[in-house]
Amino acid sequence: MLRIIPTKVHGVLDYMAGLLLIALPTILGFDSQLTETWVMVILGIITLLYSIVTRYELSFASLISMRTHLWLDFLSGVVLAASPWLFHFSERVYLPHVVFGLGEILIVLLTNPVAEDSPRPRIAPKAPRD
């Protein structure tokens, strides 16, 4: 498989995807009380949360590996693509969920799982050296 997307670019895509998943139901005019809205919003929030703690260039706390992150992205894509049938709203809408979910899976398959500048696991900022 061609791994042409570097982790730094993947990080930008992560934050954009998370925010877009949260905003897309409003942009597309979904009813805010329906399942098709909440599936996207919840997956968007989860994407932002695990992106913040992934061990790559754009994280805030390097706690999980890039490989774990990619598995989470893959699972998120599968859930999103299958959600219209899993949660029984395919009669109302399915295309945005399927397209976005399959796009997420494609990005996982094209991402290099090794960060160019892979930070070590950390929770707090580095202490200054004496």
Side-chain angles (χ1 to χ4, degrees):
M1 177 60 70
L2 256 158
R3 303 293 188 143
I4 58 174
I5 300 174
T7 54
K8 192 170 191 175
V9 172
H10 185 97
V12 171
L13 294 174
D14 281 332
Y15 292 111
M16 288 174 37
L19 293 172
L20 187 57
L21 278 170
I22 293 167
L24 203 53
T26 302
I27 293 168
L28 296 176
F30 293 176
D31 184 334
S32 65
Q33 302 304 310
L34 296 178
T35 308
E36 56 263 29
T37 297
W38 287 105
V39 166
M40 285 187 155
V41 170
I42 290 168
L43 287 175
I45 292 168
I46 290 170
T47 298
L48 292 174
L49 290 175
Y50 68 77
S51 296
I52 288 169
V53 297
T54 296
R55 199 173 309 132
Y56 64 177
E57 295 88 350
L58 298 178
S59 73
F60 292 93
S62 299
L63 301 176
I64 66 170
S65 71
M66 188 62 194
R67 289 190 191 279
T68 300
H69 174 101
L70 291 174
W71 273 108
L72 292 171
D73 278 350
F74 182 82
L75 291 173
S76 175
V78 168
V79 168
L80 187 58
S83 66
W85 297 275
L86 286 173
F87 301 110
H88 310 289
F89 59 82
S90 63
E91 309 82 38
R92 291 188 304 272
V93 64
Y94 66 90
L95 197 56
H97 298 77
V98 172
V99 169
F100 206 97
L102 294 177
E104 192 169 7
I105 292 168
L106 180 63
I107 289 170
V108 167
L109 296 174
L110 294 175
T111 297
N112 182 351
V114 179
E116 291 176 17
D117 182 22
S118 182
R120 289 186 168 35
R122 63 178 160 79
I123 295 175
K126 294 178 187 175
R129 294 183 185 204
D130 295 329

